Amino acid sequence: MADRAGRVSPGGGIGVPSDPGRAAGREPSGAAAGQAPSAIPESPESLKSRLRATGYLVDDGLAIACYLALRLHRPVFCEGDAGTGKTALASALAQVLEAPLIRLQCYEGIDAAQALYDWDFPRQLLHLRAAEAAGISDVERLESELYSRRFLLARPLLQALETQPCVLLIDEIDRADDEFEAFLLELLSEYSVTVPELGTLRAQSPPVVVLTSNRTREVHDALKRRCLYHWFDHPDFERELAIVRRRQPQVTERLAAQVTAVVQALRADEDLLKPPGVAETIDWAEALDALGATELDAELAVATLGSVLKYREDAERARSLDLSELLAAAGGARPR
């Protein structure tokens, strides 16, 4: 909870939002707030099929985890390297459920006050001045009006509690600190928050919650135990090619196979600082297609490395490799 000065204690918080990294956001994903959700799939296979229809391919393990999350109202904790599809899962689920996606982007220093709610101080001040101009001097009346729901600004976590149905994405929780983790643990236990001036606000129906972590640090076991856990690994060639073909259907089959094979080879190089993820594979294929390419050669690969490798050292390492040899090997790569 928090007092009106903005001090935060377990159970809630208020304060002025600080958003250096897109701390909060609501993203439409097929339905307006309050619209009835699409029926929950009757089986993991059905969910897998409906996710595939959105362009998101899942294996059996992830399909089962997501299905159980929907049935048991448990968060899904998605951990793995960047670019492996963790964030995209939340968007795909929102499309399947025809529900809005509410996103909380975590960053170092984020706290409950920046993620939960805030008071609309400018509007409160205007209301106070209007009351003074009207000659209203009833202090208790003014106080009750100033701290009513109409002046409360809901941040992503409170938005998720008040929006049924919705999908709540808590992105990159590993970038937040231990205190914020503890706050989330309490919030996800009860799906409620206490606003001192208004009382306890509780979700009529728990949101679908997806937490992601790039494992820049270990997230505490207490939070993980509250969730259904799934590790996101880089896919094998066949699966990655299928993802590229699904997401970039305009790319030629040969180009998609070459790009996928080269990325797989780069990813196997242990000297890279940041191995490319599936997102980079898709971006590279899209960039090459935008250039009018139907197949990949060594010169074009070197010229477009910025689409797939994001560190200077990695680009130099890639240029030192025999890309012609990699492409020759990729020439035989074909989907089964």
Side-chain angles (χ1 to χ4, degrees), residues 103-114:
R103 176 173 180 165
L104 173 66
Q105 177 64 53
C106 298
Y107 55 88
E108 185 177 354
I110 189 173
D111 60 23
Q114 295 153 347

Side-chain angles (χ1 to χ4, degrees), residues 127-128 131-132 134-146:
H127 181 76
L128 184 60
E132 290 176 347
I136 299 174
S137 58
D138 188 335
V139 175
E140 290 188 2
R141 174 186 168 184
L142 282 175
E143 184 175 7
S144 64
E145 291 177 347
L146 287 174

Side-chain angles (χ1 to χ4, degrees), residues 6-335:
R7 293 182 291 270
V8 178
S9 61
I14 62 175
V16 178
S18 173
D19 188 6
R22 192 173 56 177
R26 182 193 297 261
E27 302 174 18
S29 295
Q35 180 176 329
S38 178
I40 293 177
E42 62 274 9
S43 68
E45 278 301 319
S46 176
L47 177 58
K48 184 176 180 180
S49 175
R50 290 171 64 174
L51 286 169
R52 177 182 292 270
T54 71
Y56 191 88
L57 306 182
V58 299
D59 57 22
D60 291 340
L62 182 54
I64 290 174
C66 292
Y67 175 78
L68 291 175
L70 296 176
R71 288 292 180 186
L72 305 177
H73 301 297
R74 296 276 297 278
V76 181
F77 191 97
C78 304
E79 193 166 43
D81 292 336
T84 51
K86 303 182 298 296
T87 300
L89 172 63
S91 179
L93 283 172
Q95 293 180 55
V96 166
L97 298 173
E98 299 179 4
L101 173 63
I102 298 175
R103 176 173 180 165
L104 173 66
Q105 177 64 53
C106 298
Y107 55 88
E108 185 177 354
I110 189 173
D111 60 23
Q114 295 153 347
L116 192 58
Y117 69 89
D118 191 15
W119 289 106
D120 192 343
F121 294 118
R123 287 188 63 218
Q124 287 175 315
L125 183 58
L126 287 174
H127 181 76
L128 184 60
R129 288 177 176 173
E132 290 176 347
I136 299 174
S137 58
D138 188 335
V139 175
E140 290 188 2
R141 174 186 168 184
L142 282 175
E143 184 175 7
S144 64
E145 291 177 347
L146 287 174
Y147 291 96
S148 60
R149 183 62 184 85
R150 61 184 287 206
F151 293 111
L152 191 70
L153 296 175
R155 302 306 181 193
L157 296 181
L158 182 55
Q159 287 175 12
L161 295 182
E162 293 185 327
T163 305
Q164 285 86 36
C166 75
V167 176
L168 171 62
L169 169 62
I170 303 174
D171 210 11
E172 298 184 333
I173 182 61
D174 53 314
R175 297 179 62 184
D177 55 24
D178 295 348
E179 290 77 10
F180 189 70
E181 264 191 57
F183 164 73
L184 273 183
L185 181 63
E186 181 179 353
L187 182 74
L188 296 177
S189 299
E190 302 293 335
Y191 291 106
S192 66
V193 61
T194 300
V195 179
E197 297 81 2
L198 302 178
T200 299
L201 305 177
R202 187 181 304 275
Q204 295 179 5
S205 176
V208 178
V209 182
V210 177
L211 297 99
T212 74
S213 167
N214 293 334
R215 211 176 187 182
T216 57
R217 68 170 179 86
E218 287 294 334
V219 176
H220 288 282
D221 290 342
L223 183 58
K224 286 185 176 181
R225 283 197 300 268
R226 189 74 59 188
C227 307
L228 296 163
Y229 179 86
H230 188 82
W231 171 260
F232 280 66
D233 208 350
H234 293 290
D236 60 18
F237 172 80
E238 302 293 342
R239 184 173 183 77
E240 187 162 13
L241 178 58
I243 294 171
V244 173
R245 296 288 291 154
R246 174 74 65 161
R247 296 294 298 274
Q248 300 294 335
Q250 77 283 2
V251 174
T252 65
E253 185 174 336
R254 176 172 175 76
L255 179 59
Q258 288 179 312
V259 167
T260 303
V262 172
V263 170
Q264 292 264 330
L266 291 173
R267 197 177 289 147
D269 189 335
E270 296 181 355
D271 291 330
L272 291 186
L273 296 176
K274 170 62 175 66
V278 180
E280 283 74 34
T281 310
I282 296 170
D283 288 346
W284 199 15
E286 182 181 23
L288 291 167
D289 179 71
L291 292 172
T294 57
E295 61 180 309
L296 186 62
D297 57 42
E299 182 179 355
L300 185 57
V302 170
T304 55
L305 280 175
S307 295
V308 68
L309 298 174
K310 309 301 181 180
Y311 287 87
R312 176 179 61 83
E313 295 85 351
D314 288 347
E316 291 177 351
R317 169 65 180 166
R319 293 188 184 97
S320 71
L321 301 175
D322 191 342
L323 292 179
S324 297
E325 182 179 342
L326 289 181
L327 287 166
R334 292 289 187 275

